[in-house]
Amino acid sequence: LSSANNPVSRSSHKYTQMAADLSLLISKLLGYGILFGSLMYKVPQIKNIIAAKSSEGISLNSYLLETIGFSITLAYNIRNAYPFSTYGETVSILIQNLIVIMLIYLYSKKMSQFVVFMLFFLAWQYFLYMMISLDLMRTIQSASIVIFTSSKIPQIVTMYKDKTAGALAMPTLFMAVGGAAARVFTTLKEISDPTVLFGFCLSLFLNGLIFVQAVYYKFIVGQAKKNDGKEVANKKTAEKVVAASQKPSTGTSPVGTLKKRKSKKII
């Protein structure tokens, strides 16, 4: 019997097709889930800057590099006509990054530099979409991987040197890892582009490393420091108690005071 007339073969093909359709559906749902989640990705950072009216502790260079990288990724995906569900969050994050950059310049009283950056950014967009071939665009997309890597390594080195996670938000780091992992899956299922896939795999590795570092320094090293601090405080308290107990008393007892008062009255 041919495979076409074989009931077992037809049934196996049917289940294989159903599994493929289900995995594609999951990929689509993941993609739009990431897109929805990205709408709030940088909002806490934006709120913190506005509340403090300061951008202290935020690396402008890191944001500039990341923004250029996202703009390349967005242009590459649009020009290749990839499904929006595979890169939609890039639009949201890019806009939020531009808002953060504007706030950094605003509170640093350097808005003229922001205007210069925006002029450069618009010219850069024209270059990416209108002036280069798709082959050159692919080369630039490969270069963006280096840009993204450059924006992550300083954070990894800083945590290692300072031995602390500082003000890093664990939910944001967790979302970055989860988003990168989901993007690896959606890329495999929907576009299978080696360049894009490598970028997301590298992002998953670097974000994962930062997340593991943050967990280690915040919950393990941080807790150890708290325990050490408590031990030191308890030791100092014990030393004060011992010193106080060994100090000779110079005060007068209540009985002695009463006797003195009676003697004065008699006189």
Side-chain angles (χ1 to χ4, degrees):
L1 290 175
S2 64
S3 60
N5 296 324
N6 189 334
V8 176
S9 178
R10 289 201 304 269
S11 177
S12 176
H13 177 74
K14 178 181 177 181
Y15 286 120
T16 302
Q17 186 60 43
M18 287 176 61
D21 292 341
L22 179 61
S23 62
L24 182 59
L25 175 62
I26 293 172
S27 176
K28 291 289 185 183
L29 292 175
L30 275 174
Y32 285 112
I34 295 169
L35 173 58
F36 179 76
S38 71
L39 297 176
M40 301 296 292
Y41 184 57
K42 302 279 178 130
V43 170
Q45 185 66 74
I46 293 171
K47 290 173 65 177
N48 285 347
I49 296 174
I50 294 174
K53 298 187 184 303
S54 170
S55 61
E56 185 179 1
I58 299 173
S59 171
L60 175 61
N61 290 333
S62 179
Y63 266 93
L64 293 175
L65 281 172
E66 191 177 66
T67 300
I68 296 301
F70 275 124
S71 68
I72 295 171
T73 299
L74 179 60
Y76 179 77
N77 280 276
I78 290 176
R79 292 193 60 179
N80 278 283
Y82 290 148
F84 186 71
S85 60
T86 63
Y87 68 89
E89 78 279 2
T90 305
V91 180
S92 173
I93 296 174
L94 185 60
I95 293 171
Q96 292 173 67
N97 270 12
L98 289 172
I99 293 173
V100 171
I101 291 171
M102 181 195 71
L103 291 172
I104 292 174
Y105 279 122
L106 175 65
Y107 290 116
S108 300
K109 303 185 184 305
K110 298 177 180 178
M111 281 301 290
S112 59
Q113 294 184 22
F114 175 70
V115 173
V116 173
F117 168 73
M118 284 306 300
L119 291 174
F120 162 77
F121 184 76
L122 292 174
W124 175 244
Q125 299 312 295
Y126 182 80
F127 172 77
L128 292 176
Y129 287 95
M130 306 298 294
M131 295 184 63
I132 60 175
S133 67
L134 196 55
D135 288 337
L136 182 55
M137 184 76 246
R138 188 171 290 106
T139 302
I140 295 176
Q141 169 64 15
S142 300
S144 74
I145 296 172
V146 178
I147 295 175
F148 280 122
T149 303
S150 300
S151 69
K152 300 293 183 185
I153 289 178
Q155 183 63 65
I156 294 171
V157 173
T158 298
M159 261 200 290
Y160 178 76
K161 286 182 176 180
D162 297 343
K163 308 298 182 187
T164 178
L168 286 174
M170 296 303 297
T172 300
L173 297 178
F174 180 77
M175 283 194 295
V177 175
R183 276 295 168 229
V184 170
F185 178 76
T186 59
T187 302
L188 285 169
K189 291 304 300 179
E190 298 189 52
I191 58 178
S192 297
D193 186 311
T195 304
V196 176
L197 180 61
F198 178 75
F200 282 128
C201 287
L202 185 60
S203 175
L204 175 60
F205 171 74
L206 293 173
N207 283 319
L209 182 57
I210 292 173
F211 179 74
V212 170
Q213 271 188 304
V215 169
Y216 176 73
Y217 288 122
K218 187 177 284 286
F219 297 109
I220 298 176
V221 175
Q223 188 61 44
K225 287 181 178 179
K226 285 182 180 179
N227 293 337
D228 290 343
K230 288 180 180 179
E231 289 181 4
V232 171
N234 292 336
K235 186 177 180 180
K236 287 183 178 179
T237 302
E239 289 175 351
K240 287 181 180 178
V241 171
V242 171
S245 64
Q246 293 176 348
K247 186 177 180 180
S249 177
T250 56
T252 307
S253 68
V255 176
T257 302
L258 183 61
K259 288 182 177 179
K260 285 182 178 180
R261 287 178 179 175
K262 286 182 177 180
S263 62
K264 285 181 180 180
K265 286 182 181 179
I266 294 171
I267 294 171

